[in-house]
Amino acid sequence: MTARRLLALLGALLAASPAAAYVRSKSGKGVPLSWPLPVVPYHVSSATPVHPSPSCEPAGASDPALDAVRAGFDAWRAGCASLSLVYAGRVDEIRVGLQGMEENLVVFRNGWCSEDPAAIDHPCFRDVDLDCGGIFGCFEDAAPGDRNIVALTTVIHDPDTGRIYDADIEVNGWDGQGAGDPITPPSPGIPRQHGWWFTCGDPAGLPACATYGERDCAFIDLQNTMTHEAGHFLGLAHPCEGARCTVQPELRPYTMYPSTGPGETEKRTLHADDVAGLCAIYPAEGGGCGCGAGSGPGTLALLAAGLGLGLVVRRRRVGPVDDRSP
């Protein structure tokens, strides 16, 4: 478990709106977040398998998983916006947040840290200042709801100005074990044994995957997920949270809607509201960077936003260290 998980509790930062409109991520001081420059590079980790699902495996010169990641970022290009998110290649790195600040990173985690014997035996499992995910490549699941998180974006920012310094995306993927085991349903109290099963390509006409390792089926669409997380990366929040989402079904078509399901690809394409949010933060002409007020840099803060499966999706929450046990 890491300090960034605990700091996310303090970051708290979504300004939920009852109206059907985009919502910007904000610092704990209520300042909207944004990048200060119009061109922001991102890298994809080469230190762990990008993803072991058959439809996402590289084949010759083709790399469907990388293509899905890049397509997710590229979806946020709009003529009315000055921001460009640029793929900058692979890096041999799995650390994120404050421990991996030199690049904006997309990294695929492999299964749960609580089921990784090496992680359990390591001091990182109980020390909040150590990151098991950055050491073992697993996804930290300290709180019961963490297994409902499909992907997690961590944004390092200045709480006084809203300036973003770094953003990293963790994709909560399969651990490569238990091929043939059933993919358990997203029901409370029923954990997935081996992480989330991501698929690439066009899911149209394909049945929903029933087991890990299954071919010719669709489950959590990687491009769909990455497009949503790229929205958090650039400074957008969910348009609703929790019970509010259930009474605002008109928000479901939005890319930034906080839940997904097997075979969904709707988030691949931006809703007009998502585009409006992008262009309001990064207007093509004038308007500055949208960083908010503030005369100088303050203490770095962390914002964590996650996309999860089901009707109710929560932001990453971590309980006291003592509540975590093997």
Side-chain angles (χ1 to χ4, degrees):
M1 190 165 61
T2 68
R4 71 189 176 91
R5 309 300 197 201
L6 296 178
L7 285 173
L9 285 172
L10 305 176
L13 343 203
L14 280 185
S17 169
Y22 68 86
V23 177
R24 293 185 63 174
S25 298
K26 295 184 178 181
S27 75
K29 296 185 177 182
V31 181
L33 307 187
S34 66
W35 292 94
L37 298 175
V39 177
V40 179
Y42 67 92
H43 299 79
V44 177
S45 174
S46 60
T48 59
V50 170
H51 211 278
S53 69
S55 64
C56 294
E57 289 177 349
S62 174
D63 191 336
L66 180 59
D67 291 344
V69 171
R70 296 183 65 176
F73 278 89
D74 288 347
W76 291 94
R77 293 179 176 174
C80 59
S82 62
L83 184 70
S84 294
L85 303 176
V86 180
Y87 174 59
R90 296 283 183 85
V91 290
D92 185 19
E93 176 65 272
I94 62 173
R95 296 172 300 172
V96 298
L98 291 173
Q99 298 183 13
M101 238 182 113
E102 294 184 359
E103 65 282 312
N104 305 309
L105 185 67
V106 177
V107 59
F108 287 80
R109 299 304 192 198
N110 298 312
W112 318 112
C113 289
S114 66
E115 295 188 2
D116 185 331
I120 292 172
D121 291 339
H122 194 275
C124 68
F125 200 71
R126 295 173 179 82
D127 189 337
V128 298
D129 293 322
L130 299 176
D131 180 6
C132 283
I135 298 171
F136 298 102
C138 50
F139 189 85
E140 294 191 340
D141 54 325
D146 290 348
R147 292 198 175 194
N148 289 329
I149 296 174
V150 172
L152 177 70
T153 297
T154 301
V155 178
I156 299 176
H157 63 278
D158 185 323
D160 293 317
T161 66
R163 174 174 177 167
I164 299 175
Y165 291 96
D166 178 89
D168 302 303
I169 297 173
E170 297 170 82
V171 181
N172 185 6
W174 183 45
D175 63 6
Q177 304 298 312
D181 288 352
I183 302 174
T184 53
S187 300
I190 303 179
R192 283 175 177 76
Q193 307 97 306
H194 306 294
W196 286 93
W197 180 246
F198 285 90
T199 52
C200 297
D202 184 1
L206 296 177
C209 300
T211 62
Y212 292 98
E214 186 176 355
R215 295 179 177 273
D216 301 321
C217 60
F219 208 69
I220 301 301
D221 183 69
L222 181 57
Q223 182 177 333
N224 191 73
T225 300
M226 290 307 307
T227 308
H228 176 99
E229 295 303 321
H232 288 311
F233 182 100
L234 61 86
L236 286 173
H238 298 148
C240 61
E241 293 286 352
R244 179 169 289 167
C245 294
T246 64
V247 298
Q248 292 184 280
E250 69 275 11
L251 301 181
R252 290 196 64 88
Y254 291 16
T255 292
M256 297 312 298
Y257 189 81
S259 69
T260 187
E264 184 202 62
T265 59
E266 196 167 34
K267 292 178 176 63
R268 288 185 178 187
T269 303
L270 301 188
H271 186 276
D273 185 85
D274 301 306
V275 176
L278 167 68
C279 297
I281 302 172
Y282 307 99
E285 295 182 4
C289 72
C291 293
S295 59
T299 303
L300 290 182
L302 294 169
L303 165 70
L307 166 67
L309 178 68
L311 295 178
V312 178
V313 183
R314 67 192 65 183
R315 194 162 293 274
R316 170 66 63 115
R317 292 182 172 87
V318 179
V321 178
D322 291 344
D323 287 351
R324 184 172 183 175
S325 59

